[in-house]
Amino acid sequence: MEHQQQGEHAADLLLPCLTLKEKDGVALITFDDKDAKVNTLNSKLTPQFEEVLEYVEKSSTIKALVLISGKKSCFIAGADIAELQAAKNEAEVKKLSQSGQEFFKRLSKLKQPVVAAINGSCLGGGLELALACDYRVATSAGNTVLGLPEVMLGLLPGAGGTQRLPALIGLEKALPMMLTGSNVKAEKAKRIGLVDYVVHPGGLQNKALEVAKALGEGKLKVNRKRKTTATSLLESVKAGKRFILQKALQQVESKTRGLYPAPKGIIEVLNYSVDHPDKGYLKESEVFAKLSQTPESKGLISLYFGQTDLKKNRYGSPEKPAEHLGVLGAGLMGAGIAMISLQKDFHVRLRDIGFDQIANGKKYIWSNLAKRVKRKSLSRFDAQKVMSRLFAQTDYKHFEECDIVIEAVFEDLDLKHRVLKEVEECSREDMIFASNTSALPISDIAKASKRPERVIGMHYFSPVHKMPLLEIIVTDQTTDDVAAAAVNVGIRQGKTVIVVGDGPGFYTTRILAPYMDEVAILAAEGVDFYTLDDAMMDFGYPVGPIALVDEVGIDVGYHVSESLGKAFGKRVSSGDLQILTELVAKGAKGRKSGKGFYLYQKQKKSVLDRFVGKKSSKKPINPEVIELINKMGKKTSKPIDLEDVQKRMYLRMINEAAYCLHDGILKRPLDGDIGAVFGLGFPPFHGGPFRFVDKVGAKKIVDDLKRYEDSLGERFSPAPNLVEMANSGARFYPE
Ligand code: NAI
């Protein structure tokens, strides 16, 4: 530690992650861990911060404090999850939580007022720290976000957040932030009372110093009186608080089907705090520790580390990172890919065959941007700037500018060959050609190329701007530099990128196919659609399989099942595809055509519904499907066991995932877990199919598969690696 006296009232304190500079009675404390991209509250930073507090407590000249970050895009990103994971048991976690609480209490009890100057992410422990300050100034920068995302890791804010946030902004506004982990930007944070002042990033430090000085001199008094509303009146009495929490619990139960303990834990702490306000912090640390030991939290944390790992490009930096993108096909996928790229500063040439198609593509992009403008998450000026980088065209003019061209034309090999040849004719030799095919092997597409080593798969998911996954497919010929450039594009587009080997359906589509096949078989056996959807939602999927086929498109599902059936036989596709063919012939292609397995017309409310305000959340079943099933289905006379229904569906997906690892499509289980969760909605709290096998035990999975193999046939034959693991007791991940 170095102390530098600079005159009577000025002193500097220089520590590796923190500096304190005092001027005119105000201490400016800057967090900046030079060894890390972001500041985290870890065992390196916290003792230094304690040293600073001690210094401030002893100072007779410091009248006020400003806490600011030296990082461009981060105030404090939160607590260190790895350190939390290293804690051996519940008791150790409780201690960690309590020391965090104590530390923030000490900060809040300083005799000097403290101003948090927030620019960039202020999340988790970072926000809990800001909440312990007396005043918060935040910048209007797009990347300034405040939030408590602990629930997404199966935890709760364990350093006082459950107590301080509701006390500051009220239960009604605090609950959604804590229960969903959603972030708020500065303007909204100001509206709900979470920050006191919003400033342009350039003026942050000066404004914070000015406020601190005024607070220190008693010239500024903080008045946080909230407007009186029906809710605030309700919140002012204990019974009202209990009522709000009971409603929140009902909503949590219906949304999570009781599968996620963290939101329930948050409500438990808040309920307890209503009756025991002096013991709220203790309860917070107890429930935090309990949650940290749940399998759900462990599954979610493993995904968090997996995602962090995938932020690095395992191929390294590409020789020439792409700036100009070409997109072929302005349909659902092409327009989506163009949009997310434009928003990340790429220049995009979007080509389709007719003016109507490109107009529709442009309209799709603009309407999505307009929604963001309306929600105030994008300014109109910035939306126009995004659009100015788009060139929509029906020819290949200026395609020589494109570093990478992503095709999203219809799923037809001949057509994909044609556009590949056309684009190679008018592009540079170093152009990369990427296909967004759902299932066609990339090496088959590359057969039409003059430069197959520059052909790669970039498989996005629908809707592109909402689905976080990008599955990149490399063939035996794809060069590492081409892979590096494609991964680089995906990461810059904000995607979680997995890289898999080539083959029919690659990874995600290949494991989806047997799952859907089992759904079709069960439906033909007479299990009704609601039961099928409910069974998988009870397992933890965000949507049921029937609703999912309708989303993806029955025509798409048919093509995929047919082509993967040819490649892998009964193990992947053994059901009768006739129902799908007949539905497509009747124009029932899923949600996009207004009908699929379900009907998607707007439901009219009956007089009774209107009177009681009740609306069924279930979509009506398409009667044409019932007719077809009755005509073709092989209804079983045996009673249907619900656990069996659930297991038959998920086991087929998991077994095929194991085959993908065995066949070398997946290089490691982590890619398979991330791909299944972020591309297909595999329940996140199970951590992915491979983590699930580790959790349940390979032996149990193989026993179940063999039982079904005996009664239902070869489609349940367990993958050889699973059998081996069942025999040896091995795991996919080390313990
Ligand atoms: P879509 O039918 O919405 O769009 C296809 C577009 O390609 C149409 O606008 C069509 O006019 C255009 N097109 C046809 N020939 C063309 C040519 N020669 N040059 C330029 N454009 C041409 O189809 P969607 O859903 O966007 O699918 C496109 C591709 O993405 C397919 O290979 C599909 O399998 C794949 N995919 C689809 C997903 C989905 O959920 N819809 C998910 C992942 C991949």
Side-chain angles (χ1 to χ4, degrees):
M1 178 171 61
E2 271 176 62
H3 290 209
Q4 297 175 353
Q5 296 299 330
Q6 294 175 3
E8 213 185 326
H9 298 293
D12 278 2
L13 181 58
L14 298 171
L15 300 171
C17 302
L18 281 163
T19 55
L20 181 149
K21 287 190 179 166
E22 188 189 337
K23 198 176 166 209
D24 296 336
V26 181
L28 178 71
I29 296 163
T30 309
F31 296 91
D32 198 355
D33 182 352
K34 295 276 188 312
D35 300 330
K37 260 193 187 161
V38 294
N39 297 317
T40 36
L41 292 167
N42 53 19
S43 54
K44 186 174 161 198
L45 190 140
T46 316
Q48 294 176 39
F49 196 16
E50 276 173 353
E51 212 170 312
V52 171
L53 285 195
E54 211 175 303
Y55 182 85
V56 171
E57 281 161 351
K58 285 185 188 151
S59 166
S60 58
T61 53
I62 297 174
K63 299 283 178 257
L65 271 67
V66 169
L67 304 182
I68 199 164
S69 161
K71 305 283 182 213
K72 260 194 184 146
S73 57
C74 166
F75 176 65
I76 290 175
D80 191 328
I81 309 298
E83 286 184 6
L84 178 71
Q85 260 210 328
K88 284 190 207 76
N89 50 36
E90 198 173 320
E92 274 194 21
V93 178
K94 188 175 161 194
K95 248 193 230 157
L96 273 179
S97 158
Q98 285 181 320
S99 67
Q101 291 176 347
E102 281 310 313
F103 182 52
F104 290 159
K105 231 173 248 174
R106 186 169 163 196
L107 175 69
S108 72
K109 295 242 158 79
L110 281 179
K111 60 180 186 296
Q112 299 94 332
V114 188
V115 177
I118 303 162
N119 183 53
S121 43
C122 174
L123 301 171
L127 180 56
E128 289 178 298
L129 181 144
L131 284 167
C133 297
D134 301 278
Y135 197 95
R136 285 153 292 276
V137 182
T139 73
S140 53
N143 61 359
T144 296
V145 284
L146 298 93
L148 292 174
E150 290 84 349
V151 72
M152 284 146 111
L153 299 178
L155 298 168
L156 53 74
T162 65
Q163 307 298 300
R164 287 205 173 89
L165 188 67
L168 182 68
I169 65 173
L171 262 185
E172 188 207 7
K173 298 198 175 73
L175 274 168
M177 283 185 75
M178 288 192 280
L179 295 177
T180 66
S182 59
N183 295 333
V184 289
K185 294 201 176 234
E187 285 296 345
K188 176 148 186 219
K190 169 85 176 62
R191 274 202 305 280
I192 62 175
L194 180 56
V195 305
D196 301 285
Y197 200 92
V198 179
V199 66
H200 186 273
L204 177 66
Q205 184 168 314
N206 282 347
K207 184 71 206 174
L209 288 169
E210 180 193 315
V211 169
K213 194 164 170 30
L215 285 170
E217 290 169 354
K219 290 183 183 154
L220 176 68
K221 291 265 179 275
V222 188
N223 179 8
R224 295 224 172 81
K225 216 164 162 256
R226 288 201 293 271
K227 260 195 255 160
T228 309
T229 60
T231 325
S232 68
L233 280 177
L234 196 62
E235 281 189 32
S236 63
V237 289
K238 278 188 181 178
K241 279 189 187 153
R242 275 193 218 105
F243 176 77
I244 293 173
L245 290 168
Q246 189 199 341
K247 286 274 150 218
L249 185 62
Q250 278 168 5
Q251 275 179 19
V252 162
E253 289 287 351
S254 91
K255 281 213 174 112
T256 65
R257 295 176 170 246
L259 294 169
Y260 287 82
K264 277 197 282 188
I266 293 170
I267 295 175
E268 183 189 336
V269 172
L270 295 170
N271 253 324
Y272 185 86
S273 312
V274 172
D275 292 318
H276 310 87
D278 51 330
K279 290 194 192 142
Y281 284 90
L282 179 65
K283 184 77 176 169
E284 178 188 90
S285 63
E286 281 168 4
V287 180
F288 179 77
K290 196 169 74 186
L291 288 173
S292 73
Q293 304 302 306
T294 57
E296 289 81 0
S297 175
K298 290 186 195 280
L300 293 167
I301 288 180
S302 74
L303 282 178
Y304 165 81
F305 282 122
Q307 266 194 307
T308 311
D309 183 65
L310 291 172
K311 280 189 185 135
K312 289 184 280 223
N313 189 341
R314 78 164 104 141
Y315 291 92
S317 300
E319 230 166 76
K320 183 175 179 284
E323 297 303 333
H324 291 262
L325 253 62
V327 178
L328 305 181
L332 183 68
M333 297 305 289
I337 296 166
M339 179 171 75
I340 58 154
S341 313
L342 291 162
Q343 287 178 284
K344 298 290 177 182
D345 295 340
F346 289 99
H347 294 265
V348 178
R349 293 199 169 270
L350 178 62
R351 195 238 161 192
D352 207 307
I353 42 177
F355 289 105
D356 286 350
Q357 287 87 338
I358 57 173
N360 283 338
K362 274 175 93 169
K363 198 167 130 199
Y364 177 86
I365 297 172
W366 179 248
S367 66
N368 273 296
L369 293 178
K371 274 186 210 155
R372 286 194 54 197
V373 172
K374 204 170 163 202
R375 281 202 311 266
K376 294 205 169 87
S377 71
L378 186 75
S379 72
R380 181 162 286 275
F381 176 72
D382 283 337
Q384 276 156 354
K385 235 165 75 183
V386 167
M387 288 306 277
S388 73
R389 288 191 286 271
L390 172 69
F391 302 90
Q393 55 197 75
T394 55
D395 54 20
Y396 289 102
K397 218 165 157 195
H398 301 306
F399 258 64
E400 71 282 358
E401 286 172 3
C402 298
D403 305 303
I404 182 163
V405 174
I406 305 172
E407 74 76 17
V409 301
F410 302 128
E411 187 78 345
D412 175 291
L413 186 60
D414 289 341
L415 177 61
K416 304 232 184 235
H417 280 167
R418 208 172 76 217
V419 296
L420 166 56
K421 285 184 186 152
E422 283 171 2
V423 86
E424 279 189 352
E425 281 311 306
C426 51
S427 58
R428 295 194 318 267
E429 294 236 319
D430 63 350
M431 180 268 304
I432 296 170
F433 185 86
S435 173
N436 177 50
T437 172
S438 309
L440 297 169
I442 303 302
S443 42
D444 286 355
I445 295 175
K447 279 185 185 141
S449 171
K450 284 194 249 175
R451 298 179 284 274
E453 70 284 359
R454 302 198 74 74
V455 178
I456 197 164
M458 288 178 84
H459 180 211
Y460 294 84
F461 294 75
S462 174
V464 183
H465 62 292
K466 290 204 175 134
M467 295 295 283
L469 189 74
L470 167 62
E471 181 180 28
I472 287 190
I473 304 110
V474 292
T475 72
D476 293 342
Q477 290 173 291
T478 314
T479 65
D480 279 359
D481 190 55
V482 167
V487 173
N488 177 275
V489 168
I491 292 174
R492 281 157 65 205
Q493 283 169 332
K495 297 292 171 200
T496 297
V497 184
I498 58 166
V499 181
V500 304
D502 190 29
F506 349 107
Y507 170 63
T508 50
T509 309
R510 180 166 153 186
I511 66 166
L512 183 64
Y515 170 67
M516 289 303 185
D517 186 49
E518 201 55 32
V519 175
I521 295 170
L522 282 160
E525 282 176 19
V527 185
D528 81 80
F529 296 166
Y530 298 134
T531 305
L532 289 169
D533 275 351
D534 279 343
M536 291 332 272
M537 287 170 75
D538 283 342
F539 182 61
Y541 276 86
V543 281
I546 301 286
L548 183 65
V549 192
D550 273 358
E551 268 327 302
V552 172
I554 293 179
D555 48 341
V556 178
Y558 169 76
H559 280 300
V560 168
S561 302
E562 199 199 19
S563 72
L564 293 194
K566 277 185 199 149
F568 298 107
K570 286 204 161 134
R571 196 185 73 228
V572 166
S573 177
S574 52
D576 194 340
L577 296 180
Q578 205 182 337
I579 293 182
L580 299 187
T581 338
E582 295 219 10
L583 278 176
V584 174
K586 285 177 191 291
K589 294 184 185 172
R591 183 190 279 277
K592 61 186 169 190
S593 58
K595 59 177 182 175
F597 287 105
Y598 294 127
L599 295 176
Y600 292 88
Q601 283 90 3
K602 270 199 175 149
Q603 269 175 271
K604 271 192 195 151
K605 277 189 185 176
S606 70
V607 176
L608 182 66
D609 283 346
R610 249 175 253 170
F611 185 64
V612 292
K614 188 174 132 276
K615 191 173 155 241
S616 166
S617 58
K618 302 226 171 196
K619 297 242 167 284
I621 294 173
N622 181 356
E624 293 165 322
V625 188
I626 307 282
E627 219 175 279
L628 284 170
I629 288 181
N630 287 341
K631 206 166 77 190
M632 293 179 255
K634 307 165 195 75
K635 278 201 177 168
T636 150
S637 50
K638 277 190 257 161
I640 289 158
D641 179 277
L642 283 182
E643 200 189 326
D644 261 347
V645 166
Q646 201 182 49
K647 271 194 183 165
R648 279 172 57 177
M649 287 187 274
Y650 74 65
L651 280 175
R652 287 199 61 196
M653 181 181 266
I654 289 171
N655 195 33
E656 199 55 34
Y659 267 108
C660 286
L661 192 64
H662 174 262
D663 296 352
I665 294 291
L666 290 174
K667 295 277 170 286
R668 47 184 192 166
L670 173 68
D671 296 315
D673 280 341
I674 294 278
V677 171
F678 295 107
L680 307 175
F682 191 91
F685 62 88
H686 287 316
F690 296 102
R691 288 255 175 218
F692 183 75
V693 173
D694 279 355
K695 189 161 72 176
V696 176
K699 169 129 189 18
K700 169 95 183 67
I701 299 279
V702 168
D703 286 349
D704 280 343
L705 281 164
K706 281 191 175 155
R707 193 160 45 82
Y708 289 123
E709 185 185 13
D710 289 345
S711 58
L712 297 166
E714 61 183 286
R715 65 182 193 273
F716 283 98
S717 302
N721 47 348
L722 279 180
V723 177
E724 248 175 69
M725 288 169 66
N727 292 333
S728 67
R731 302 163 53 91
F732 286 113
Y733 293 90
E735 191 97 52

